[in-house]
């Protein structure tokens, strides 16, 4: 069973704080650590933002894909 350095339940945050909170948590990870993002919709726009702002620094794996809950493991390389 995977252990996560951080788990972020995205709906708990106000809209303007969601992505900054996720990126701050990612930046605090040590190389090789993984965080889990839990959301109420597909976080694909966040994936694209990671691709632009943190290229080659992460891996992205869908763990659960809706319809009500999406879970993603984001590993820091």
């Amino acid at each position: 069973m995977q252990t996560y350095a951080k788990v972020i339940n995205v709906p708990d945050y106000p809209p303007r704080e969601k992505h900054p909170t996720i990126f701050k948590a990612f930046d605090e990870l040590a190389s090789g650590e993984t965080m889990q993002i839990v959301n109420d919709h597909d976080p694909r726009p966040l994936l694209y933002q990671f691709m632009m702002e943190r290229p080659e620094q992460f891996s992205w794996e869908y763990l659960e894909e809706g319809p009500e809950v999406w879970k993603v493991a984001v590993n820091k390389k």
Side-chain angles (χ1 to χ4, degrees):
M1 178 177 218
Q2 173 73 43
T3 302
Y4 299 100
K6 299 174 188 275
V7 176
I8 299 175
N9 189 26
V10 180
D12 289 350
Y13 295 90
R16 70 172 202 263
E17 293 178 17
K18 291 176 192 264
H19 286 204
T21 299
I22 293 165
F23 278 95
K24 181 179 184 297
F26 177 80
D27 290 340
E28 292 172 352
L29 294 176
S31 180
E33 286 187 321
T34 303
M35 69 180 187
Q36 184 183 80
I37 298 167
V38 180
N39 207 359
D40 57 3
H41 63 274
D42 188 349
R44 189 166 307 275
L46 179 65
L47 170 59
Y48 297 143
Q49 188 175 358
F50 261 94
M51 292 167 71
M52 294 299 294
E53 296 185 16
R54 304 293 189 281
E56 308 298 321
Q57 296 179 35
F58 72 98
S59 65
W60 179 279
E61 178 187 1
Y62 281 98
L63 305 171
E64 189 173 333
E65 296 185 67
E68 295 178 17
V69 175
W70 277 258
K71 293 183 180 178
V72 177
V74 182
N75 176 268
K76 187 171 189 177
K77 293 183 178 180

Coordinates of all heavy atoms in Angstrom, one line a residue:
M1 N 0.8 -1.2 0.0 CA 0.0 0.0 0.0 C 0.9 1.2 0.0 O 1.8 1.3 0.8 CB -0.9 0.0 1.2 CG -1.8 1.2 1.3 SD -2.9 1.1 2.7 CE -4.3 1.8 2.0
Q2 N 0.6 2.2 -0.9 CA 1.3 3.4 -1.0 C 1.1 4.3 0.2 O 0.0 4.5 0.7 CB 0.9 4.1 -2.3 CG 1.5 5.5 -2.5 CD 2.9 5.5 -2.9 OE1 3.3 4.7 -3.7 NE2 3.7 6.3 -2.3
T3 N 2.2 4.9 0.7 CA 2.2 5.9 1.7 C 2.4 7.2 1.1 O 3.3 7.4 0.3 CB 3.2 5.6 2.8 OG1 3.0 4.3 3.4 CG2 3.1 6.6 3.9
Y4 N 1.6 8.2 1.5 CA 1.7 9.6 0.9 C 2.3 10.5 1.9 O 1.9 10.6 3.1 CB 0.4 10.0 0.4 CG -0.2 9.1 -0.7 CD1 -1.2 8.2 -0.3 CD2 0.3 9.2 -2.0 CE1 -1.7 7.3 -1.3 CE2 -0.2 8.3 -2.9 CZ -1.2 7.4 -2.6 OH -1.6 6.5 -3.5
A5 N 3.2 11.4 1.4 CA 3.8 12.4 2.3 C 2.8 13.4 2.6 O 2.8 14.0 3.7 CB 5.0 13.0 1.6
K6 N 1.9 13.7 1.7 CA 0.8 14.6 1.9 C -0.5 14.2 1.2 O -0.3 13.5 0.1 CB 1.1 16.0 1.4 CG 2.4 16.7 2.1 CD 2.7 18.0 1.4 CE 4.0 18.5 1.9 NZ 3.9 19.3 3.1
V7 N -1.6 14.5 1.7 CA -2.9 14.2 1.1 C -3.7 15.5 1.1 O -3.9 16.1 2.1 CB -3.7 13.1 1.8 CG1 -5.1 13.0 1.1 CG2 -3.0 11.8 1.8
I8 N -4.0 16.0 -0.1 CA -4.8 17.3 -0.2 C -6.2 17.0 -0.7 O -6.3 16.5 -1.8 CB -4.0 18.2 -1.2 CG1 -2.6 18.5 -0.6 CG2 -4.9 19.5 -1.3 CD1 -1.8 19.4 -1.5
N9 N -7.1 17.3 0.1 CA -8.6 17.2 -0.3 C -8.9 18.6 -0.8 O -9.3 19.5 -0.1 CB -9.4 16.8 0.9 CG -10.8 16.5 0.5 OD1 -11.1 16.1 -0.6 ND2 -11.8 16.7 1.4
V10 N -8.9 18.7 -2.1 CA -9.0 20.0 -2.8 C -10.3 20.7 -2.5 O -10.3 21.9 -2.3 CB -8.8 19.8 -4.4 CG1 -8.9 21.1 -5.1 CG2 -7.4 19.1 -4.6
P11 N -11.4 20.0 -2.5 CA -12.7 20.8 -2.2 C -12.7 21.5 -0.8 O -13.5 22.4 -0.6 CB -13.8 19.7 -2.2 CG -13.2 18.7 -3.1 CD -11.7 18.6 -2.8
D12 N -11.7 21.2 0.1 CA -11.7 21.9 1.4 C -11.2 23.3 1.2 O -11.3 24.1 2.2 CB -10.7 21.1 2.3 CG -11.3 19.8 2.8 OD1 -12.5 19.5 2.5 OD2 -10.6 19.0 3.4
Y13 N -10.6 23.7 0.1 CA -10.0 25.0 -0.1 C -10.8 25.9 -0.9 O -11.4 25.5 -1.9 CB -8.6 24.8 -0.7 CG -7.6 24.1 0.2 CD1 -7.5 22.7 0.1 CD2 -6.8 24.8 1.1 CE1 -6.7 22.0 0.9 CE2 -6.0 24.1 2.0 CZ -5.9 22.7 1.9 OH -5.1 22.0 2.7
P14 N -10.8 27.2 -0.6 CA -11.5 28.2 -1.5 C -10.8 28.2 -2.9 O -9.6 27.9 -3.0 CB -11.2 29.5 -0.8 CG -10.8 29.2 0.6 CD -10.1 27.9 0.5
P15 N -11.6 28.5 -3.9 CA -11.1 28.4 -5.3 C -9.7 29.0 -5.6 O -8.8 28.4 -6.2 CB -12.2 29.0 -6.1 CG -13.4 28.8 -5.4 CD -13.0 28.9 -3.9
R16 N -9.5 30.2 -5.0 CA -8.2 30.9 -5.3 C -7.0 30.3 -4.6 O -5.9 30.6 -5.0 CB -8.3 32.4 -5.0 CG -8.4 32.7 -3.6 CD -8.3 34.3 -3.4 NE -7.9 34.6 -2.1 CZ -8.7 34.9 -1.1 NH1 -10.0 35.0 -1.3 NH2 -8.2 35.1 0.1
E17 N -7.3 29.4 -3.6 CA -6.2 28.8 -2.9 C -5.8 27.4 -3.4 O -4.8 26.8 -2.9 CB -6.5 28.8 -1.4 CG -6.6 30.1 -0.7 CD -7.0 30.1 0.7 OE1 -6.9 29.0 1.3 OE2 -7.5 31.1 1.3
K18 N -6.7 26.8 -4.2 CA -6.5 25.4 -4.6 C -5.2 25.1 -5.2 O -4.4 24.3 -4.7 CB -7.6 24.9 -5.5 CG -9.0 24.9 -4.8 CD -10.1 24.5 -5.7 CE -11.5 24.7 -5.1 NZ -12.1 23.6 -4.5
H19 N -4.9 25.7 -6.4 CA -3.6 25.4 -7.1 C -2.4 25.9 -6.3 O -1.4 25.1 -6.2 CB -3.7 26.0 -8.5 CG -4.6 25.2 -9.4 ND1 -4.4 25.2 -10.8 CD2 -5.6 24.4 -9.1 CE1 -5.3 24.4 -11.3 NE2 -6.1 23.9 -10.3
P20 N -2.4 27.1 -5.7 CA -1.3 27.5 -4.9 C -1.0 26.5 -3.8 O 0.2 26.3 -3.5 CB -1.6 28.9 -4.4 CG -2.6 29.4 -5.4 CD -3.4 28.2 -5.9
T21 N -2.0 26.0 -3.1 CA -1.8 25.1 -2.0 C -1.2 23.8 -2.5 O -0.3 23.2 -1.9 CB -3.2 24.8 -1.3 OG1 -3.7 26.0 -0.8 CG2 -3.0 23.7 -0.2
I22 N -1.7 23.3 -3.7 CA -1.1 22.1 -4.3 C 0.3 22.3 -4.7 O 1.2 21.4 -4.4 CB -2.0 21.6 -5.4 CG1 -3.4 21.2 -4.9 CG2 -1.3 20.5 -6.2 CD1 -4.4 21.1 -6.0
F23 N 0.7 23.4 -5.3 CA 2.0 23.6 -5.7 C 3.0 23.8 -4.6 O 4.1 23.3 -4.6 CB 2.1 24.8 -6.7 CG 1.8 24.3 -8.1 CD1 0.5 24.5 -8.6 CD2 2.7 23.7 -8.9 CE1 0.2 24.1 -9.9 CE2 2.4 23.3 -10.2 CZ 1.1 23.5 -10.7
K24 N 2.5 24.5 -3.5 CA 3.3 24.6 -2.3 C 3.6 23.3 -1.7 O 4.8 23.0 -1.3 CB 2.6 25.5 -1.3 CG 3.4 25.8 0.0 CD 2.6 26.7 0.9 CE 3.4 27.1 2.2 NZ 3.7 26.0 3.0
A25 N 2.6 22.4 -1.6 CA 2.8 21.1 -1.0 C 3.8 20.3 -1.9 O 4.7 19.6 -1.4 CB 1.4 20.4 -0.9
F26 N 3.6 20.4 -3.2 CA 4.5 19.7 -4.1 C 6.0 20.1 -3.9 O 6.9 19.3 -3.8 CB 4.1 19.8 -5.6 CG 5.1 19.2 -6.5 CD1 5.0 17.8 -6.8 CD2 6.0 19.9 -7.2 CE1 5.9 17.2 -7.6 CE2 6.9 19.4 -8.1 CZ 6.9 18.0 -8.3
D27 N 6.2 21.4 -3.8 CA 7.5 22.0 -3.7 C 8.2 21.6 -2.3 O 9.4 21.5 -2.3 CB 7.5 23.5 -3.8 CG 7.2 24.0 -5.2 OD1 7.3 23.2 -6.2 OD2 6.7 25.2 -5.4
E28 N 7.3 21.3 -1.3 CA 7.9 20.9 0.0 C 8.2 19.4 0.0 O 8.9 18.9 0.9 CB 6.9 21.2 1.1 CG 6.7 22.7 1.3 CD 5.5 23.0 2.2 OE1 4.8 22.1 2.6 OE2 5.4 24.2 2.6
L29 N 7.8 18.6 -1.0 CA 8.2 17.2 -1.1 C 9.6 17.0 -1.3 O 10.3 17.8 -2.0 CB 7.4 16.5 -2.2 CG 5.9 16.4 -2.1 CD1 5.4 15.7 -3.4 CD2 5.5 15.6 -0.9
A30 N 10.2 16.0 -0.7 CA 11.6 15.6 -1.0 C 11.5 14.8 -2.3 O 10.5 14.2 -2.7 CB 12.2 14.8 0.1
S31 N 12.6 14.7 -3.0 CA 12.7 13.9 -4.2 C 12.4 12.5 -3.9 O 12.8 11.9 -2.9 CB 14.2 14.0 -4.8 OG 14.3 13.2 -5.9
G32 N 11.5 11.9 -4.7 CA 11.0 10.5 -4.4 C 9.7 10.4 -3.6 O 9.1 9.3 -3.5
E33 N 9.3 11.5 -3.0 CA 8.1 11.5 -2.2 C 6.9 11.7 -3.1 O 7.0 12.3 -4.2 CB 8.1 12.5 -1.1 CG 9.0 12.2 0.1 CD 8.9 13.2 1.2 OE1 8.7 14.4 1.0 OE2 8.9 12.7 2.3
T34 N 5.7 11.2 -2.6 CA 4.5 11.3 -3.4 C 3.4 11.9 -2.5 O 3.3 11.6 -1.4 CB 4.0 9.9 -3.8 OG1 5.1 9.3 -4.6 CG2 2.8 9.9 -4.7
M35 N 2.6 12.7 -3.2 CA 1.4 13.3 -2.5 C 0.2 12.8 -3.3 O 0.3 12.5 -4.4 CB 1.5 14.8 -2.4 CG 1.3 15.5 -3.7 SD 1.4 17.3 -3.4 CE 1.0 17.9 -5.0
Q36 N -0.9 12.8 -2.6 CA -2.2 12.4 -3.2 C -3.1 13.6 -3.2 O -3.2 14.4 -2.2 CB -2.9 11.3 -2.4 CG -4.2 10.8 -3.1 CD -4.9 9.7 -2.3 OE1 -5.6 10.0 -1.4 NE2 -4.6 8.5 -2.7
I37 N -3.7 13.8 -4.4 CA -4.7 14.9 -4.6 C -6.1 14.2 -4.7 O -6.2 13.3 -5.5 CB -4.4 15.7 -5.8 CG1 -3.1 16.4 -5.7 CG2 -5.5 16.7 -6.1 CD1 -2.6 16.9 -7.0
V38 N -7.0 14.7 -3.9 CA -8.4 14.1 -3.9 C -9.3 15.3 -4.4 O -9.2 16.4 -3.8 CB -8.8 13.6 -2.5 CG1 -10.3 13.1 -2.6 CG2 -7.9 12.6 -2.0
N39 N -10.1 15.1 -5.4 CA -10.9 16.1 -6.0 C -12.3 15.6 -6.3 O -12.5 14.4 -6.5 CB -10.2 16.8 -7.2 CG -10.6 18.2 -7.4 OD1 -11.4 18.8 -6.7 ND2 -10.0 18.8 -8.4
D40 N -13.2 16.6 -6.6 CA -14.6 16.2 -7.0 C -14.8 16.3 -8.5 O -15.9 16.2 -8.9 CB -15.6 17.1 -6.2 CG -15.4 18.6 -6.5 OD1 -14.5 19.0 -7.3 OD2 -16.1 19.4 -5.8
H41 N -13.7 16.5 -9.2 CA -13.8 16.5 -10.7 C -12.4 16.2 -11.2 O -11.4 16.2 -10.5 CB -14.3 17.9 -11.2 CG -13.4 19.0 -10.9 ND1 -13.4 19.7 -9.8 CD2 -12.3 19.6 -11.6 CE1 -12.5 20.7 -9.8 NE2 -11.8 20.6 -10.9
D42 N -12.3 15.9 -12.5 CA -11.0 15.5 -13.1 C -10.1 16.7 -13.0 O -10.4 17.8 -13.5 CB -11.3 15.1 -14.5 CG -10.0 14.6 -15.2 OD1 -8.9 14.7 -14.7 OD2 -10.2 14.0 -16.3
P43 N -8.9 16.5 -12.4 CA -8.0 17.7 -12.2 C -7.1 17.8 -13.4 O -5.9 18.3 -13.3 CB -7.2 17.3 -11.0 CG -7.2 15.8 -11.0 CD -8.5 15.4 -11.6
R44 N -7.5 17.5 -14.6 CA -6.7 17.6 -15.8 C -6.1 19.0 -16.0 O -4.9 19.1 -16.4 CB -7.4 17.1 -17.0 CG -6.6 17.0 -18.3 CD -7.2 16.2 -19.4 NE -7.7 14.9 -19.0 CZ -7.0 13.8 -19.0 NH1 -5.7 13.9 -19.3 NH2 -7.5 12.7 -18.6
P45 N -6.8 20.1 -15.8 CA -6.2 21.4 -15.9 C -5.0 21.6 -15.0 O -4.0 22.2 -15.4 CB -7.3 22.4 -15.6 CG -8.6 21.6 -15.9 CD -8.3 20.2 -15.5
L46 N -5.0 21.0 -13.8 CA -3.9 21.0 -12.9 C -2.7 20.3 -13.5 O -1.6 20.7 -13.4 CB -4.3 20.4 -11.6 CG -3.2 20.4 -10.5 CD1 -2.8 21.8 -10.1 CD2 -3.7 19.6 -9.3
L47 N -3.0 19.1 -14.2 CA -1.9 18.4 -14.8 C -1.2 19.3 -15.9 O 0.0 19.4 -15.9 CB -2.5 17.1 -15.5 CG -1.5 16.4 -16.4 CD1 -0.2 15.9 -15.7 CD2 -2.2 15.2 -17.1
Y48 N -2.0 20.0 -16.7 CA -1.4 20.9 -17.7 C -0.6 22.0 -17.0 O 0.5 22.4 -17.5 CB -2.5 21.5 -18.6 CG -3.3 20.4 -19.4 CD1 -4.6 20.6 -19.6 CD2 -2.6 19.3 -19.9 CE1 -5.3 19.6 -20.3 CE2 -3.3 18.3 -20.6 CZ -4.7 18.5 -20.8 OH -5.3 17.5 -21.5
Q49 N -1.1 22.5 -15.9 CA -0.3 23.5 -15.2 C 1.0 23.0 -14.7 O 2.1 23.6 -14.8 CB -1.1 24.1 -14.1 CG -0.5 25.3 -13.4 CD -1.4 26.0 -12.4 OE1 -2.5 25.6 -12.1 NE2 -0.8 27.0 -11.7
F50 N 1.0 21.7 -14.1 CA 2.2 21.1 -13.7 C 3.2 20.9 -14.9 O 4.4 21.2 -14.7 CB 1.9 19.7 -13.1 CG 1.9 19.7 -11.6 CD1 0.7 19.8 -10.9 CD2 3.0 19.5 -10.9 CE1 0.6 19.8 -9.5 CE2 3.0 19.5 -9.5 CZ 1.8 19.6 -8.8
M51 N 2.7 20.5 -16.0 CA 3.5 20.4 -17.2 C 4.2 21.7 -17.6 O 5.3 21.6 -18.1 CB 2.7 19.8 -18.4 CG 2.2 18.4 -18.1 SD 0.9 17.8 -19.3 CE 1.9 17.6 -20.8
M52 N 3.5 22.8 -17.4 CA 4.1 24.1 -17.8 C 5.0 24.6 -16.7 O 6.1 25.2 -17.0 CB 3.0 25.1 -18.0 CG 2.1 24.8 -19.2 SD 3.0 24.8 -20.8 CE 3.5 26.5 -20.9
E53 N 4.7 24.4 -15.4 CA 5.4 25.1 -14.4 C 6.4 24.2 -13.7 O 7.4 24.7 -13.1 CB 4.4 25.6 -13.3 CG 3.5 26.7 -13.9 CD 2.6 27.3 -12.8 OE1 2.9 27.2 -11.6 OE2 1.7 28.0 -13.2
R54 N 6.3 22.9 -13.8 CA 7.2 22.0 -13.2 C 7.6 20.8 -14.2 O 7.6 19.7 -13.9 CB 6.7 21.3 -11.9 CG 6.2 22.3 -10.8 CD 7.3 23.1 -10.2 NE 6.8 23.8 -9.0 CZ 6.2 25.0 -9.1 NH1 5.8 25.5 -10.2 NH2 5.8 25.6 -7.9
P55 N 8.0 21.2 -15.4 CA 8.3 20.2 -16.4 C 9.4 19.3 -15.9 O 10.4 19.7 -15.3 CB 8.7 21.0 -17.6 CG 9.2 22.3 -17.1 CD 8.4 22.6 -15.9
E56 N 9.3 18.0 -16.2 CA 10.3 17.0 -15.9 C 10.5 16.8 -14.4 O 11.5 16.1 -14.0 CB 11.6 17.3 -16.6 CG 11.5 17.5 -18.1 CD 11.0 16.3 -18.9 OE1 11.4 15.2 -18.5 OE2 10.2 16.6 -19.8
Q57 N 9.7 17.3 -13.6 CA 9.9 17.3 -12.1 C 8.9 16.3 -11.4 O 9.0 16.1 -10.2 CB 9.8 18.6 -11.5 CG 10.8 19.6 -11.9 CD 10.6 21.0 -11.3 OE1 10.2 21.1 -10.1 NE2 10.9 22.1 -12.0
F58 N 8.0 15.7 -12.2 CA 6.9 15.0 -11.5 C 6.4 13.8 -12.4 O 6.7 13.8 -13.6 CB 5.7 15.9 -11.2 CG 4.9 16.3 -12.4 CD1 3.8 15.6 -12.8 CD2 5.4 17.3 -13.3 CE1 3.1 16.0 -13.9 CE2 4.7 17.7 -14.4 CZ 3.5 17.0 -14.7
S59 N 5.8 12.9 -11.7 CA 5.0 11.9 -12.4 C 3.5 12.0 -11.9 O 3.3 12.4 -10.8 CB 5.5 10.5 -12.3 OG 5.4 10.1 -10.9
W60 N 2.6 11.6 -12.7 CA 1.2 11.8 -12.4 C 0.5 10.5 -12.7 O 0.6 9.9 -13.8 CB 0.6 12.9 -13.4 CG -0.8 13.3 -13.3 CD1 -1.9 12.6 -13.9 CD2 -1.4 14.4 -12.7 NE1 -3.0 13.2 -13.7 CE2 -2.7 14.4 -12.9 CE3 -0.8 15.5 -12.0 CZ2 -3.6 15.4 -12.4 CZ3 -1.7 16.5 -11.5 CH2 -3.0 16.4 -11.7
E61 N -0.2 10.0 -11.7 CA -0.9 8.7 -11.9 C -2.4 8.8 -11.3 O -2.5 9.1 -10.1 CB -0.2 7.6 -11.1 CG -0.9 6.2 -11.2 CD -0.3 5.2 -10.4 OE1 0.7 5.4 -9.7 OE2 -0.8 4.0 -10.4
Y62 N -3.3 8.6 -12.2 CA -4.7 8.5 -11.7 C -4.9 7.2 -10.9 O -4.6 6.1 -11.3 CB -5.7 8.5 -12.9 CG -6.0 9.9 -13.5 CD1 -5.3 10.3 -14.6 CD2 -6.8 10.8 -12.9 CE1 -5.5 11.5 -15.2 CE2 -7.1 12.0 -13.5 CZ -6.4 12.4 -14.6 OH -6.6 13.6 -15.2
L63 N -5.5 7.4 -9.7 CA -5.8 6.2 -8.8 C -7.2 5.9 -8.8 O -7.6 4.8 -8.7 CB -5.3 6.6 -7.4 CG -3.9 7.0 -7.2 CD1 -3.6 7.5 -5.8 CD2 -2.9 5.8 -7.5
E64 N -8.0 6.9 -9.0 CA -9.5 6.8 -9.1 C -10.0 7.9 -10.0 O -9.6 9.0 -9.9 CB -10.1 7.0 -7.7 CG -11.6 6.6 -7.6 CD -12.1 6.6 -6.2 OE1 -11.3 6.4 -5.3 OE2 -13.3 6.9 -6.0
E65 N -10.9 7.5 -11.0 CA -11.4 8.5 -12.0 C -12.9 8.6 -12.0 O -13.6 8.2 -12.9 CB -10.9 8.1 -13.3 CG -9.4 8.1 -13.5 CD -8.9 7.8 -14.9 OE1 -9.1 8.6 -15.8 OE2 -8.2 6.7 -15.0
G66 N -13.4 9.2 -10.9 CA -14.8 9.5 -10.8 C -15.8 8.4 -10.8 O -15.4 7.2 -10.6
P67 N -17.1 8.7 -10.9 CA -17.6 9.9 -11.3 C -17.7 11.0 -10.2 O -17.9 12.2 -10.5 CB -19.0 9.6 -11.8 CG -19.4 8.4 -11.0 CD -18.1 7.6 -10.7
E68 N -17.6 10.6 -8.9 CA -17.7 11.5 -7.8 C -16.4 12.0 -7.2 O -16.3 13.1 -6.7 CB -18.7 11.0 -6.8 CG -20.1 10.8 -7.3 CD -21.0 10.2 -6.2 OE1 -20.7 10.2 -5.0 OE2 -22.1 9.7 -6.6
V69 N -15.4 11.0 -7.2 CA -14.1 11.3 -6.6 C -13.0 11.0 -7.6 O -13.1 9.9 -8.2 CB -14.0 10.5 -5.3 CG1 -12.6 10.7 -4.7 CG2 -15.0 10.9 -4.3
W70 N -12.1 11.9 -7.7 CA -10.9 11.6 -8.5 C -9.7 11.6 -7.5 O -9.6 12.6 -6.7 CB -10.6 12.7 -9.6 CG -11.4 12.5 -10.8 CD1 -10.9 12.0 -12.0 CD2 -12.8 12.7 -11.0 NE1 -11.9 11.9 -12.9 CE2 -13.1 12.4 -12.4 CE3 -13.8 13.2 -10.3 CZ2 -14.3 12.5 -12.9 CZ3 -15.1 13.4 -10.8 CH2 -15.3 13.0 -12.1
K71 N -8.8 10.7 -7.6 CA -7.6 10.6 -6.8 C -6.4 10.5 -7.7 O -6.4 9.7 -8.7 CB -7.6 9.5 -5.8 CG -8.7 9.6 -4.8 CD -8.7 8.5 -3.8 CE -9.8 8.6 -2.7 NZ -9.8 7.5 -1.8
V72 N -5.4 11.3 -7.5 CA -4.2 11.3 -8.3 C -3.0 11.3 -7.4 O -2.9 12.0 -6.3 CB -4.1 12.6 -9.1 CG1 -2.8 12.7 -9.9 CG2 -5.3 12.7 -10.0
A73 N -2.0 10.4 -7.7 CA -0.7 10.4 -7.0 C 0.2 11.2 -7.9 O 0.4 11.0 -9.1 CB -0.2 9.0 -6.9
V74 N 0.9 12.2 -7.2 CA 1.9 13.1 -7.8 C 3.2 12.8 -7.1 O 3.3 13.1 -6.0 CB 1.5 14.6 -7.8 CG1 2.5 15.4 -8.5 CG2 0.1 14.8 -8.3
N75 N 4.1 12.3 -7.9 CA 5.4 11.9 -7.4 C 6.5 13.0 -7.8 O 6.5 13.4 -8.9 CB 5.9 10.6 -7.8 CG 7.3 10.2 -7.4 OD1 8.2 10.5 -8.1 ND2 7.4 9.6 -6.2
K76 N 7.3 13.4 -6.8 CA 8.3 14.4 -7.2 C 9.6 13.6 -7.5 O 10.1 12.8 -6.8 CB 8.6 15.3 -6.0 CG 9.6 16.4 -6.3 CD 9.6 17.4 -5.1 CE 10.4 18.6 -5.5 NZ 10.4 19.6 -4.4
K77 N 10.1 13.8 -8.7 CA 11.3 13.1 -9.2 C 12.5 13.7 -8.6 O 12.6 14.7 -8.0 CB 11.4 13.3 -10.7 CG 10.3 12.6 -11.5 CD 10.5 12.7 -13.0 CE 9.4 12.0 -13.7 NZ 9.6 12.1 -15.2

